[in-house]
Amino acid sequence: MEFSWGRGQESRRLLLLLLLAAWEAGNGQLHYSVFEEAKHGTFVGRIAQDLGLELAELVPRLFRVASKGRGDLLEVNLQNGILFVNSRIDREELCGRSAECSIHLEVIVDRPLQVFHVDVEVKDINDNPPVFPATQKNLFIAESRPLDSRFPLEGASDADIGENTQLTYRLNPNEYFSLEKPSDDELVKGLGLILRKSLDREEAPEIFLVLTATDGGKPELTGTVQLLITVLDANDNAPAFDRTLYKVRLPENVPNGTLVIKLNASDLDEGLNGDIVYSFSNDISPNVKSKFHIDPFTGQIIVKGYIDFEESKSYEIIVEGIDKGQLPLSGHCRVIVEVEDNNDNVPDVQFKSLSLPIREDAPLGTVIALISVSDKDVGVNGQVTCSLTPHVPFKLVSTFKNYYSLVLDSALDRESVAAYGLVVTARDGGSPSLWVTASVSVEVADVNDNAPAFAQPEYTVFVKENNPPGCHIFTVSAQDADVQENALVSYSLVDRRVGDRALSSYVSVHAESGKVYALQPLDHEELELLQFQVSARDAGVPPLGSNVTLQVFVLDENDNLPTLLAPRVGGIGGAVSELVPWSVGAGHVVAKVRAVDADSGYNAWLSYELQPGTGGARIPFRVGLYTGEISTTRALDEADAPRHRLLVLVKDHGDPALTATATVLVSLVESGQAPKASSRALAGAVGSEAALVDVNVYLIIAICAVSSLLVLTLLLYTALRCSAPPTEGGCARGKPTLVCSSAVGSWSNSQQRRPRVCSGEGPPKTDLMAFSPSLSDSRDREDQLQPTEESFAKKTYYYYLTYNT
């Protein structure tokens, strides 16, 4: 059937529009096919739909197509998801004479990272005509050659494949030669001319023939070569090789000078007509000539160029043996050199896509990188396996032939390891094997998973009272194991009420440095303990934080004067008036001065001194150093003045000491004139003695009670705390306390109201402090007491009971 050229072009356009798409069963690889030489914009397939991707997500997910070494032959329209031909596709340029030809595409999308493998098969069309090595070939044939002599010819080649490269030959009609067509069997002779009629140089010195090669494509394409045959006279025996076809196996990378084969041809003639010269045929390719050399006299073929299996797997050499006759005759043979592969190529490793850095909270299985490996060798030498640096939280997963994914295998912790240096090793299966390494640094991105941490959960701070406003009292510091904004710590108060005032009126904390400041002077008598919390927060999203408790103890300073208590018996102008009979003896207690000090400790320990009289007058009275009792030093007589004005100086033990002065008016009367006073004084003395005994009994009972309460408090602490009814706050005022006298002075903490202890966690703390009195009945007991810290400590029992209800 014949077709016109116009109809042929139309048929080709129709064939170019025929495209196939299918999924290859078993491995999930997408396949399409397209004919070569397709026009720009030719539809290949709906790649987005076939991959299960929505059109709207192609751009946000950075849909892209990569083709190693194929340029931009194919492209995807991101608006409709169609794969189309972008530029000219020449199958012969892509794959040469290979029976299979395809373009491998890697489709990569992000969020999450995915890779798809797509093969587009390039189908052959008959676009290449058969081509002979030359447009004209000269043959020299002696007229004496016998009939059926054979003259080999070099066939044509077709760059197409399949049926398009199935060549048939025909020779223009002539009376001398016929055409011997080649066979698929290499052992059978190839294309050649067969002499059918004896030549006569005188009748036909030259013969012109046309050899035509036609391929099997539709439409058929042809190629021609002109054969110019020159008829020679004389030498009638041509050289003949032992075999017409030789096959040799040659390892690649052999050194120059290596012997490939030694050929041998014989000639039945004698003399010069029997001497043979070996040479390569003029029709062999320049590549063969650059690789091999033949010795013209010995017929040895040796290597003279670099033999690389990856460059060419075989070489075909046509050798001529020509005698030296006047009319030289020639013989021919073919040598097929098959190159054997050696393991001389190291694997190649490439990172296709990297998603770095990786968050430390990334889920297991997260794809970090795509890795492709290849080896130019074949067989076992080209089989590549990959391994990863051991003891890392990553692994390699084989996804497709010679493709691996680097995925997360175990949880990450940036605070433990901030970056990993990974080494991927690709090793082939040769012997000995070759290997190559590729390194990648995987940085771990921080997430806010660590709260700021203080060195200890609670701090105790001691601050003297009457501090200046804005005084720096402490610095808190918290450390955050995260980095950048996740480790940026700011400080603040955990606000609450302190009695009827806000905590922020007492203290403040600097947000950046953590310095704690007292905003106002603190008063130990008003506030003994201020307990509050400071919060540390980082700047992460969401922010994390922790708290620390500060216990600020306000230390006492001697800032309160001793205060005199109201006298039991009324006086004039605040003075104490006492009537004393003339008949009293030495040691008689006349009066007692009572005073308290709002301070505590040594600052509240009071002593009494009697000021000397005016004019150096002798006074028959003295005052107890620590008791404040005024007593007679001797028996009174008429020489003593009837009225005495006694000044008693009350002084604390602070540094510096603060004082107060009490005035006692003593009037001396006859015994009959002051019965009531005497009775009162006697009752006071007896009451004083009884009071001393009672105080000791009470102290023993108190000690037992306190010990029991300590044990009971530990057992009932939690229950009392949970069941306690709400109070007015943590800073309620304490109840008035009892002021008692003893031989060694007043109660150590003798103020009439307890100071506030503010922790914000319940009612005020209560303490009990008592001094044991001396039971000595001696009137000279004041002389036996020494106001030293040692005697004070030996004669004082101090109990401090703290409990929360």
Side-chain angles (χ1 to χ4, degrees):
M1 179 179 296
E2 296 182 357
F3 296 91
S4 66
W5 174 251
R7 291 185 63 188
Q9 287 285 2
E10 181 179 358
S11 299
R12 291 179 63 187
R13 285 195 298 269
L14 291 175
L15 290 174
L16 293 176
L17 297 175
L18 180 61
L19 301 172
L20 301 175
W23 286 95
E24 180 181 344
N27 58 17
Q29 183 180 2
L30 197 61
H31 283 266
Y32 295 107
S33 63
V34 63
F35 287 100
E36 67 175 330
E37 305 295 339
K39 292 183 178 180
H40 174 75
T42 299
F43 174 88
V44 177
R46 299 184 183 277
I47 188 170
Q49 178 180 339
D50 294 339
L51 291 176
L53 301 175
E54 297 294 337
L55 296 179
E57 65 181 353
L58 297 184
V59 174
R61 293 187 65 184
L62 302 179
F63 182 97
R64 55 195 183 276
V65 177
S67 176
K68 183 178 181 181
R70 302 304 188 190
D72 56 347
L73 300 179
L74 300 173
E75 193 58 68
V76 175
N77 188 332
L78 297 181
Q79 303 300 321
N80 54 25
I82 292 178
L83 181 67
F84 63 93
V85 177
N86 187 49
S87 60
R88 175 177 175 269
I89 301 176
D90 187 352
R91 186 190 182 285
E92 289 71 32
E93 180 180 348
L94 288 175
C95 306
R97 299 297 300 276
S98 176
E100 296 180 359
C101 183
S102 62
I103 301 175
H104 179 71
L105 303 178
E106 294 176 1
V107 178
I108 303 174
V109 292
D110 291 338
R111 305 187 188 104
L113 181 63
Q114 290 180 287
V115 62
F116 303 93
H117 301 278
V118 179
D119 274 344
V120 180
E121 180 185 1
V122 180
K123 292 192 173 183
D124 183 52
I125 64 173
N126 193 25
D127 59 341
N128 291 282
V131 177
F132 286 92
T135 58
Q136 178 177 310
K137 181 175 179 60
N138 297 322
L139 297 176
F140 299 90
I141 302 177
E143 63 177 347
S144 59
R145 294 297 292 266
L147 296 178
D148 297 329
S149 294
R150 184 180 182 280
F151 304 96
L153 298 175
E154 182 73 10
S157 61
D158 194 324
D160 296 320
I161 64 168
E163 294 181 356
N164 296 332
T165 191
Q166 297 296 325
L167 303 181
T168 59
Y169 297 88
R170 67 177 183 272
L171 192 64
N172 66 309
N174 67 91
E175 60 181 332
Y176 292 99
F177 297 93
S178 65
L179 186 63
E180 183 183 51
K181 298 179 180 180
S183 171
D184 293 336
D185 189 355
E186 292 180 341
L187 300 179
V188 180
K189 297 177 180 180
L191 182 66
L193 295 178
I194 304 299
L195 184 60
R196 299 302 181 186
K197 180 181 177 181
S198 299
L199 299 176
D200 187 356
R201 190 187 63 79
E202 288 75 14
E203 180 180 345
E206 291 183 337
I207 301 173
F208 293 92
L209 301 177
V210 177
L211 177 61
T212 302
T214 304
D215 62 21
K218 294 182 180 180
E220 298 177 345
L221 300 180
T222 62
T224 60
V225 62
Q226 292 185 353
L227 302 178
L228 176 57
I229 300 174
T230 301
V231 181
L232 303 176
D233 197 11
N235 193 11
D236 57 354
N237 287 289
F241 287 90
D242 297 339
R243 296 160 57 184
T244 58
L245 177 66
Y246 296 89
K247 279 190 175 182
V248 180
R249 301 182 67 86
L250 182 67
E252 66 173 331
N253 305 325
V254 295
N256 291 344
T258 300
L259 176 64
V260 179
I261 191 174
K262 183 179 185 303
L263 301 176
N264 181 56
S266 59
D267 194 316
L268 298 178
D269 296 323
E270 295 182 352
L272 293 176
N273 293 333
D275 291 340
I276 300 173
V277 178
Y278 301 93
S279 65
F280 292 147
S281 172
N282 293 329
D283 295 333
I284 65 173
S285 67
N287 185 40
V288 174
K289 290 182 179 179
S290 66
K291 304 291 185 184
F292 302 98
H293 169 73
I294 187 170
D295 189 289
F297 303 108
T298 63
Q300 292 182 341
I301 299 178
I302 60 175
V303 176
K304 74 170 187 177
Y306 178 63
I307 306 299
D308 188 4
F309 176 84
E310 288 70 37
E311 178 183 343
S312 179
K313 296 176 177 56
S314 65
Y315 297 92
E316 182 179 355
I317 307 173
I318 299 179
V319 179
E320 291 182 339
I322 304 174
D323 60 26
K324 296 181 179 180
Q326 187 176 1
L327 300 175
L329 301 179
S330 63
H332 303 80
C333 71
R334 281 193 303 161
V335 179
I336 304 298
V337 180
E338 296 180 352
V339 181
E340 295 180 338
D341 181 43
N342 286 336
N343 192 25
D344 60 341
N345 290 281
V346 297
D348 178 55
V349 179
Q350 292 184 357
F351 287 89
K352 290 292 184 182
S353 181
L354 291 173
S355 295
L356 296 176
I358 181 173
R359 289 170 56 92
E360 62 176 316
D361 62 348
L364 302 185
T366 299
V367 179
I368 301 166
L370 300 178
I371 304 172
S372 67
V373 295
S374 60
D375 196 312
K376 293 181 180 180
D377 296 320
V378 297
V380 176
N381 296 333
Q383 295 177 359
V384 181
T385 57
C386 280
S387 60
L388 189 63
T389 307
H391 310 301
V392 293
F394 306 96
K395 66 178 179 179
L396 292 176
V397 177
S398 178
T399 57
F400 188 71
K401 48 186 176 182
N402 291 337
Y403 281 86
Y404 293 84
S405 293
L406 179 63
V407 301
L408 182 61
D409 188 42
S410 60
L412 298 175
D413 184 10
R414 190 209 63 81
E415 289 70 39
S416 298
V417 181
Y420 293 88
L422 304 183
V423 178
V424 178
T425 302
R427 187 182 301 273
D428 61 28
S431 181
S433 63
L434 301 179
W435 53 274
V436 68
T437 60
S439 301
V440 61
S441 178
V442 178
E443 295 183 359
V444 181
D446 182 52
V447 297
N448 193 24
D449 57 348
N450 289 278
F454 292 93
Q456 57 191 67
E458 184 176 287
Y459 292 94
T460 300
V461 183
F462 296 93
V463 180
K464 289 185 177 182
E465 63 176 335
N466 305 320
N467 57 281
C471 170
H472 171 232
I473 62 175
F474 194 68
T475 300
V476 294
S477 178
Q479 302 297 325
D480 196 311
D482 297 318
V483 294
Q484 296 179 351
E485 66 275 2
N486 295 333
L488 186 61
V489 180
S490 60
Y491 304 91
S492 63
L493 289 176
V494 179
D495 202 10
R496 64 173 182 84
R497 304 294 295 178
V498 180
D500 56 353
R501 297 170 59 184
L503 174 65
S504 56
S505 66
Y506 285 96
V507 290
S508 69
V509 61
H510 193 275
E512 295 180 1
S513 65
K515 291 185 175 180
V516 181
Y517 298 94
L519 300 181
Q520 64 181 22
L522 300 177
D523 187 357
H524 173 80
E525 288 70 40
E526 178 186 351
L527 191 65
E528 254 187 13
L529 171 64
L530 179 61
Q531 181 170 302
F532 58 93
Q533 288 187 325
V534 176
S535 174
R537 292 288 182 273
D538 59 30
V541 179
L544 301 178
S546 62
N547 296 340
V548 67
T549 300
L550 264 67
Q551 295 192 35
V552 179
F553 286 90
V554 182
L555 302 179
D556 182 53
E557 288 190 339
N558 193 26
D559 57 345
N560 290 280
L561 296 173
T563 302
L564 298 173
L565 297 181
R568 292 181 298 175
V569 180
I572 301 174
V576 178
S577 296
E578 293 289 345
L579 298 178
V580 180
W582 285 92
S583 60
V584 297
H588 176 76
V589 177
V590 175
K592 183 177 179 65
V593 178
R594 294 178 174 86
V596 295
D597 195 312
D599 295 319
S600 63
Y602 272 90
N603 296 329
W605 185 22
L606 303 180
S607 62
Y608 303 86
E609 296 178 8
L610 187 62
Q611 298 297 308
T614 58
R618 194 164 63 98
I619 301 174
F621 302 99
R622 67 176 180 180
V623 64
L625 180 62
Y626 300 112
T627 63
E629 293 179 348
I630 301 176
S631 60
T632 58
T633 59
R634 57 181 173 80
L636 302 176
D637 53 33
E638 294 180 355
D640 295 321
R643 291 179 179 275
H644 296 272
R645 184 182 183 88
L646 305 180
L647 297 179
V648 179
L649 181 67
V650 183
K651 181 174 62 175
D652 60 28
H653 285 72
D655 185 16
L658 301 179
T659 62
T661 303
T663 303
V664 179
L665 300 177
V666 179
S667 299
L668 302 180
V669 297
E670 296 296 333
S671 299
Q673 295 179 355
K676 294 183 179 179
S678 300
S679 299
R680 205 165 40 244
L682 180 60
V686 174
S688 177
E689 295 293 337
L692 292 176
V693 176
D694 290 341
V695 166
N696 283 319
V697 174
Y698 293 152
L699 283 178
I700 294 173
I701 296 174
I703 291 172
C704 296
V706 167
S707 301
S708 301
L709 284 175
L710 282 174
V711 177
L712 183 61
T713 301
L714 294 177
L715 296 177
L716 300 181
Y717 174 82
T718 303
L720 291 175
R721 183 183 178 91
C722 296
S723 62
T727 65
E728 296 179 356
C731 298
R733 295 183 180 271
K735 295 181 180 180
T737 58
L738 177 64
V739 179
C740 299
S741 299
S742 70
V744 293
S746 305
W747 292 95
S748 177
N749 194 348
S750 59
Q751 59 189 24
Q752 292 189 0
R753 58 180 179 84
R754 290 294 298 126
R756 289 188 292 170
V757 181
C758 299
S759 65
E761 298 179 356
K765 300 180 180 179
T766 303
D767 61 347
L768 175 63
M769 294 176 288
F771 297 100
S772 65
S774 173
L775 296 181
S776 173
D777 198 20
S778 172
R779 295 182 181 269
D780 298 328
R781 60 182 180 272
E782 300 295 346
D783 298 333
Q784 299 171 4
L785 294 175
Q786 298 298 325
T788 64
E789 295 186 11
E790 180 180 1
S791 62
F792 180 84
K794 289 181 179 179
K795 296 186 178 182
T796 301
Y797 300 92
Y798 179 88
Y799 299 94
Y800 185 79
L801 173 63
T802 301
Y803 61 92
N804 288 322
T805 59

